[in-house]
């Protein structure tokens, strides 16, 4: 881990710049979120305090400071998607998964999240499944998507 | 500030001529105009323009500007809230926004009455709030350490505390968490904010969000009496305010002396004052009575007993000093035994040399240095924390810090911290070779220099040759705690100890007289710069102070010795401080030089400890959070040093030791087992251990991995 | 799951030049439409010449502020005047609601973006280009990285280093100084200006910051020639084309390249096929969600900075989002405010506190618990935010909200009178859930552990 992170740092004139890539990498290594150790590791690798790394991570939506599911489903509920049924799509996922936005299924498999505009406004609703965009998602598509993740 | 060109700035119609680049806030003050601020604090580095309290109108700029982020430029025309409706509107807006989420719990807030937010609201604020929705709420108050509590609802997010942590103390422990309206101040996970300087954030916070736990519900500002004095915990002598309520010290705050402390104060100086109220405090004289141990005795009885012992011991009295006595106390003792009892032998707390007087400079000069040599084996943060802050500041300004005698070339400031410095002789020699302008030696005791002055001022007679010890006078707790002194005590027929706390001398003293703390004494100290500073009595001691009984005792031997610091000082001053009067020492003492001061007898060089090739030399030191006072403050226990030995990477490598391993050090016929801590910054050949964990191990040591007993 | 429509709606094709539906992702196809020829030409010119051509074209920023790109480049000191390195950072953080064009540039013509970067690097003699790409963009990152690898392999970079840096989910990092902070490994909080990035940007060195589309225009400026370019669109100020981001209640949403100056009506009705389901247009979110909304009576306004400016509107990042008459404008304003509350960096007071307050008032209006006076407070809070923040995110929240109140006051009043939303559940934005209510990582430390006692 430490070596990997220090490799990332080589790309930058100042190793501190590697904090974001380092946290991203650490999050992947730790199963989608950043436990205490992750901050200690990144801190050690880049000669920063764990507190500093936590402070940076907590600023960005893509870093999770609490345990998340193995998969994430992120539904854009900003205006453009909202105008064409994003709320229905979100609710479809809530029903299908039996959780509210921001929660993780009891089995720890899937985390559902509402997110701000993902930049796919002409093909609403945009749903990022494990960080890959699905375009023009309708409530009808929801069971299949969940099926796929569960399967 | 370097002499730079003057520019003309117009503020609310007033013209000021001021150095180009001066902050607008300062420029306005210069014109007698206040621009209110919250986040702005020049000591924290570049302004951030976050709180928006300082909005002003600048001619030629479309939007309102944050005055704190701008500097004086020629021809600039500034309108503050006093003359610009737009600026006033901006200021009101900010204040309203700040108050939107601020709980109005001022009546139960310790900051109430000395709160910038309260004051600015009073002066500029809206009469009523238009916010009729739920305020942001957080769990509160939460301790961020045993000494500091955080109220996140009161926090206005000016980021002063986090900026201090990031760019002054550079500990990176206190940070902002989350984003936007959910932003909060936080430490890492559940870890306490630890370090030498954490308490400063309680003074930086412009609201009641970060408060000292010791002070919680202790006093209201208008009940307080603030006494200006100096800290007696280390040789820096930071200037402080001690806040009293009904004669009791409730809080210690910094009293900015820009040459010494720049308004910073370490946690020892700030939080250790509660040792005054330690349960084991001695308040009456106690005397050993055959078989029955110690018994309280009246002062008269105590003085009689002391006189008796001393008469019998004429010429054979030895004094062991702590280094925390005031100049006056030390001089009084010296006069008593040297003039009164013709005994000239003292165990001074440490070597002191006048060699450095030629390189005298204010600590602030470190801040402007280009290359700084930091020598000796004890980290500055432990021996003289504020000096460490100056070095950090210099580094931030681009200075290079060298820690080895081999590459001191180009150094303009030298600092020595740790053993082997021979009271400054060593660093003075280096200073001469390199021709540096300023050099500092960090004594191990707060007033080592002043005490050496006082001792030499009392008499010119030389100590006689070896003789038996009739009476050993042990002055103060540090001396009482010193193993060497205890060694002497065994040789002495009688031992008189002056000590604040029970137990320290219980085993071996015949008579124990109650001692006082630096917070209870009036007098003077000499700090590591050689600066004479005024100590004031803050809290009333539970017993007469040392000067009082010494002068009573002196009278028994027909020595004239007034119990008043001012007159005692006058005597010392004639010899050492150019006749300066007590009054002239001053509230914010200047760094003076005194001609015709007697040079102390430089003690002979100690042989540099020899260590075999690859061998280790033990360096014992007093960590910042150690000593009789700190040991008695519960809130500071989490800061106490651990039972560890620090090793350089090289030596750890050589002995195959990793951080966390148990290792045994053997030397001087004794041995201890400690946890190893590898420290990359430590030089090879050194094993560093806090005094209190070194036991009797001394000098060259053998290191072996301890057997792991199952 | 339909793909985004990306078309040249009106000639001339500039940014999408040579793109006919098949992405120009690999080097050869890009070369086949004249790719990297302009880089060669540029390198044959002096840096000043290249900058001059950009100035002459009057190309302006496509990121939102519409600042003249050539002039910005000319602010960068030349290497002989500074001891520090000179940097370029390309702003690919695209997070303005309704904006999805930079993404398509990276997916369809990634090499043109890279060619632009290298031309810009030559123009200001920079040796290191950073592309700060929005963290959520995975495919875009992969396509761009592949293109970069190809270009590197083909020795096109010369002595220039190009680093693709991925964000991590924070709209504010699109703000140039926040972006720099983020790129330095800090919380993405804006810096107060001055100093400006051109003088003290990344690592306190001179830094040129441009939007993806702006940079991608550079090869084109050289190709068609600055004078020619300066004639396209709505000279003198709004030259060249735009990748308009058409979305919302329109029949054919998508990214359409067209010259500055076509009318909003033309874009929505002719190019976009109008409002479906026999609905009426109610408002247009134009420029992005950061700006005042457009009302139908302003539909014939030309899509160029000056024409829009006359109505107090902005071209922003080319967003045109049609909102039909099913939509409750209070819900719209609320959702916009919630976005900015969520994205406020928390550094400066008016934005951090004000955006939350806006949300609370708008929520009360929507729920029918607000009073006429609350509407006044609402406008006042907007006023007290605008022009008083450290960066313009605060204004970006206040402007659209204020415009909704002033332009649709009757509808706001109806909420008060009706004791709630007159649309009920029929509004397309009814009870739309916002991430702010999700309270991402807000845990406060439990009991402090002081193990060292
Ligand atoms: C809150 C905020 C968000 C912004 N987001 C973006 C963005 O996502 N992409 C972008 O190119 N510019 C964005 N900008 C504008 C940038 O600050 C900057 O003006 C722009 O990147 C300059 O490039 P240009 O001159 O080529 O437009 C944003 C500005 C603000 C205040
Ligand atoms: S306006 Fe908002 S985003 Fe910009 S600095 Fe202030 S708090 Fe941060
Ligand atoms: S004092 Fe200027 S913004 Fe805070």
């Amino acid at each position: 881990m430490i070596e990997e992170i220090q490799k990332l740092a080589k790309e930058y004139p100042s190793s501190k710049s590697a904090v974001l890539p380092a946290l991203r990498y650490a999050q992947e290594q730790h199963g989608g979120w950043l436990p205490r150790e992750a901050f200690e590791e990144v801190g050690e690798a880049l000669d920063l305090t764990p507190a500093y790394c936590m402070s940076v991570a907590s600023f960005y939506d893509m870093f999770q400071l609490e345990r998340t599911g193995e998969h994430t489903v992120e539904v854009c509920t900003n205006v453009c998607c909202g105008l064409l049924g994003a709320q229905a799509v979100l609710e479809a996922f809530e029903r299908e998964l039996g959780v509210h936005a921001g929660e993780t299924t009891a089995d720890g498999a899937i985390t559902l999240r509402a997110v701000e505009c993902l930049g796919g406004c002409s093909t609403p609703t945009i749903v990022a499944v494990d960080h890959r965009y699905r375009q023009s998602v309708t409530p009808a598509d929801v069971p299949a998507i969940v099926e796929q993740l569960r399967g | 500030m370097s002499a730079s060109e003057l520019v003309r700035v117009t503020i609310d119609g007033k013209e000021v001529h001021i150095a180009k680049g001066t902050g607008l806030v300062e420029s306005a003050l210069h014109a007698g105009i206040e621009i209110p601020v919250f986040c702005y604090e020049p000591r924290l580095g570049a302004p951030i323009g976050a709180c928006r309290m300082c909005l002003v109108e600048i001619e030629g700029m479309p939007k309102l500007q944050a005055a704190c982020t701008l500097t004086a430029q020629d021809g600039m025309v500034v309108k503050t809230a006093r003359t610009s409706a737009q600026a006033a509107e901006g200021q009101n807006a900010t204040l309203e926004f700040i108050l939107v989420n601020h709980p109005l719990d001022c009546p139960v807030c310790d900051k109430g009455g000395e709160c910038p937010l309260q004051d600015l609201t009073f002066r500029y604020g809206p009469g009523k709030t238009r916010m009729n929705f739920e305020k942001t709420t957080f769990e509160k108050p939460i301790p961020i350490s045993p000494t500091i509590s955080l109220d996140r609802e009161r926090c206005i997010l000016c980021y002063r505390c986090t900026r201090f942590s990031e760019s002054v103390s550079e500990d990176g422990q206190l940070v902002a968490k989350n984003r936007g309206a959910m932003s909060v101040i936080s430490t890492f996970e559940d870890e306490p904010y630890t370090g030498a300087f954490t308490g400063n954030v309680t003074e930086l916070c412009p609201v009641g969000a970060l408060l000292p736990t010791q002070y919680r519900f202790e006093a209201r500002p208008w009940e307080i009496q603030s006494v200006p004095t100096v800290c007696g915990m280390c040789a820096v002598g930071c200037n402080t305010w001690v806040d009293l309520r009904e004669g009791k010290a409730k809080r210690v705050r910094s009293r900015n002396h820009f040459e010494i402390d720049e308004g910073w104060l370490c946690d020892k100086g700030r939080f250790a004052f509660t040792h005054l109220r330690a349960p084991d405090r001695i308040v009456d004289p106690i005397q050993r009575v055959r078989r029955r141990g110690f018994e309280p005795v009246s002062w008269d009885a105590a003085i009689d007993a002391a006189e008796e012992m001393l008469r019998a011991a004429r010429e054979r009295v030895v004094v062991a000093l702590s280094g925390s006595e005031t100049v006056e106390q030390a001089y009084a003792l010296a006069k008593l035994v040297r003039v009164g009892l013709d005994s000239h032998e003292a165990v001074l707390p440490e070597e002191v040399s006048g060699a450095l007087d030629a390189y005298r400079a204010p600590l602030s000069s470190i801040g402007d240095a280009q290359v700084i040599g930091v020598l000796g084996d004890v980290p500055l943060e432990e021996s003289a924390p504020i000096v460490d802050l100056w070095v950090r500041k210099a580094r931030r300004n681009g200075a290079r810090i060298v820690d080895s005698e081999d590459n001191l070339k180009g150094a303009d400031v030298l600092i020595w911290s740790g053993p082997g410095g021979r009271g400054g002789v060593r660093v003075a020699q280096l200073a001469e070779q390199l021709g540096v302008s300023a050099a500092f030696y960090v004594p191990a005791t707060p007033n080592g220099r002043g005490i050496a002055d006082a001792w030499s001022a009392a008499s010119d007679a030389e100590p006689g040759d070896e003789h038996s010890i009739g009476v050993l006078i042990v002055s103060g707790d540090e001396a009482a705690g010193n193993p060497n002194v205890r060694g002497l005590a065994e040789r002495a027929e009688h031992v008189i100890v002056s000590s604040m706390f029970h137990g320290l001398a219980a085993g071996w003293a015949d008579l124990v007289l109650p001692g006082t703390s630096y917070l209870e004494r009036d007098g003077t100290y000499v700090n590591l710069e050689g600066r004479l500073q005024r100590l004031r009595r803050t809290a009333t001691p539970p017993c007469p102070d040392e000067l009082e009984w010494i002068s009573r005792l002196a009278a028994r031997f027909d020595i004239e010795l007034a119990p008043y610091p001012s007159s005692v000082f006058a005597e010392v001053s004639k010899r050492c401080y150019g006749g300066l009067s007590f009054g002239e020492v001053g509230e914010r003492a200047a760094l003076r030089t005194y001609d015709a001061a007697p040079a102390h007898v430089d003690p002979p060089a100690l042989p540099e400890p020899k260590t075999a090739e690859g061998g280790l030399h033990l360096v014992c030191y007093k960590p910042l959070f150690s000593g009789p006072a700190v040991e008695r403050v519960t809130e500071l226990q989490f800061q106490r040093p651990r039972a560890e030995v620090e090793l350089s990477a090289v030596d750890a490598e050589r002995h195959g030791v990793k951080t966390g391993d148990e290792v045994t050090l053997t030397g001087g016929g004794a041995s201890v087992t400690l946890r190893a801590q590898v420290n990359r910054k430590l030089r090879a050949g050194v094993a560093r251990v806090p005094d209190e964990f070194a036991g009797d191990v001394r000098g060259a040591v053998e290191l072996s991995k301890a057997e792991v007993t199952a | 799951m339909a793909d985004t429509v990306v078309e040249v709606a009106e000639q001339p094709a500039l940014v999408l030049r040579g793109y006919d539906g098949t992405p120009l992702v690999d080097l050869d196809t890009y070369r086949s439409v004249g790719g990297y020829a302009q880089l060669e030409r540029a390198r044959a010119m002096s840096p000043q010449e290249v900058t001059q051509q950009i100035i002459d074209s009057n190309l302006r920023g496509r990121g939102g502020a519409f600042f003249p790109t050539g002039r910005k480049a000319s602010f960068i000191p030349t290497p002989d005047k500074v001891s520090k390195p000179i940097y370029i950072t390309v702003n690919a953080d695209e997070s303005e609601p309704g904006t999805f064009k930079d993404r398509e540039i990276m997916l369809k013509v990634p090499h043109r973006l890279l060619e632009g970067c290298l031309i810009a690097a030559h123009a200001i003699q920079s040796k290191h280009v950073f592309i700060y790409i929005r963290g959520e963009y995975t495919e875009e990152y992969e396509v761009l990285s592949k293109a970069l690898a190809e270009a590197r392999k083909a020795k096109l970079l010369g002595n220039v280093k190009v680093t693709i840096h991925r964000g991590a989910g924070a709209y504010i990092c699109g703000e140039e100084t926040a972006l720099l902070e983020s790129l330095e490994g800090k919380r993405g909080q804006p810096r107060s200006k001055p100093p400006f990035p051109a003088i003290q940007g990344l690592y306190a060195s001179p830094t040129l910051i441009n939007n993806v589309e702006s940079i991608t225009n550079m090869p084109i400026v050289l190709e068609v020639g600055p004078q020619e370019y300066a004639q396209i669109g709505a000279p003198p100020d709004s030259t060249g084309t735009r990748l308009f981001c058409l979305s919302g209640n329109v029949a054919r949403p998508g990214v359409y390249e067209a010259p500055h100056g076509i009318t909003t009506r033309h874009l929505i009705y002719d190019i976009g096929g109008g409002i479906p389901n026999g609905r009426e247009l109610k408002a247009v979110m134009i420029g992005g969600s950061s700006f005042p909304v457009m009302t139908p009576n302003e539909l014939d306004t030309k899509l160029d900075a000056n024409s829009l400016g006359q109505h107090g509107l902005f071209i922003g990042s080319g967003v045109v989002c049609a909102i039909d008459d099913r939509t409750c404008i209070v819900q719209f304003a609320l959702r916009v405010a919630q976005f900015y509350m969520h994205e406020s960096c928390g550094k400066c007071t008016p934005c951090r506190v004000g955006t939350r307050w806006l949300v609370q008032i708008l929520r009360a209006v929507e729920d029918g618990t607000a009073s006429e006076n609350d509407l006044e407070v609402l406008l006042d809070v907007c006023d007290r935010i605008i022009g008083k923040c450290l960066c313009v995110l605060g204004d970006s929240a206040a402007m659209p909200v204020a415009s909704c109140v002033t332009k649709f006051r009757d509808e706001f009043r109806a909420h008060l009178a009706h004791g709630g939303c007159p649309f009920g559940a029929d509004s397309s934005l009814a009870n739309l859930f916002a991430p702010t209510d999700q309270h991402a990582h807000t845990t406060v430390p439990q009991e402090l552990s002081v193990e060292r006692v």
Side-chain angles (χ1 to χ4, degrees), chain A residues 8-21 23-24 28 36 48 52-66 73-88 90-91 94 100-103 112-126 128 130-138 141-142 144-145 148, chain C residues 1-5 87 94-100 103-104 128 130 132 134-140 142 152 161-170 172-173 181-189 202-203 246-249 253-255 285 289 321-324 326-327 332 335-336 338-339 342-343 345 428-436 438 440-443:
Chain A
L8 292 171
K10 291 204 174 31
E11 188 63 22
Y12 300 89
S14 144
S15 68
K16 198 178 194 180
S17 284
V19 170
L20 258 50
L23 287 168
R24 181 185 276 265
E28 285 160 7
R36 183 189 190 109
L48 299 163
Y52 179 86
C53 302
M54 178 276 288
S55 167
V56 171
S58 68
F59 186 88
Y60 299 89
D61 292 336
M62 289 178 74
F63 293 126
Q64 306 305 324
L65 277 66
E66 274 134 61
V73 173
E74 298 173 311
V75 182
C76 167
T77 66
N78 201 291
V79 173
C80 305
C81 286
L83 285 169
L84 290 113
Q87 184 60 25
L90 180 66
E91 284 166 13
E94 292 186 323
H100 291 107
E103 296 173 355
L112 176 65
R113 237 181 261 126
V115 296
E116 292 297 2
C117 180
L118 286 170
C121 316
S122 69
T123 54
T125 294
I126 300 289
D130 290 332
H131 308 294
R132 299 214 163 248
Y133 287 12
R134 306 284 180 94
Q135 300 180 288
S136 312
V137 176
T138 65
D141 306 321
V142 168
I145 295 173
Q148 208 181 356
Chain C
M1 302 194 181
D3 225 327
T4 310
V5 174
Y87 297 107
E94 188 165 68
S95 314
E96 178 73 20
T99 316
F100 48 100
R103 192 178 152 223
E104 294 305 334
H128 200 159
F130 291 90
Y132 188 106
R134 170 173 192 176
E136 291 86 347
Y137 282 173
T138 306
E139 191 190 348
E140 296 72 6
E142 290 162 353
R152 193 180 282 121
K161 179 173 183 179
V162 178
T163 302
I164 304 178
H165 182 87
R166 306 182 72 179
I172 187 60
C173 290
E181 288 283 294
S182 180
L183 190 44
E184 288 180 9
K186 305 176 191 159
R187 294 160 60 84
Q189 295 186 316
L202 190 60
Y203 313 120
L246 184 61
S247 67
N249 304 117
V255 173
M285 183 175 94
S289 68
C321 175
I323 298 170
D324 73 18
R326 265 179 321 169
T327 315
F332 170 78
R335 186 61 189 85
V336 168
Q338 285 172 317
F339 170 74
H342 183 67
E343 300 298 341
C345 84
S428 47
L429 295 178
N431 10 332
L432 186 55
F433 182 83
T436 15
Q438 227 160 233
H441 38 68
T442 56
T443 44

Side-chain angles (χ1 to χ4, degrees), chain C residues 46-91:
Chain C
S46 78
Q48 293 69 16
E49 281 176 276
V50 179
T51 309
Q52 193 52 50
Q53 297 217 0
I54 306 299
I55 295 176
D56 297 342
S57 73
N58 200 15
L59 168 65
R60 291 188 181 218
R62 308 294 198 235
F66 209 60
F67 192 86
T69 306
R71 245 186 62 229
K72 203 195 283 186
S74 67
F75 295 154
I76 305 280
T78 48
D80 54 308
K81 296 212 170 48
V82 281
S83 54
K84 296 186 170 136
I86 294 166
Y87 297 107
I88 293 180
T89 57
V90 178
N91 191 338

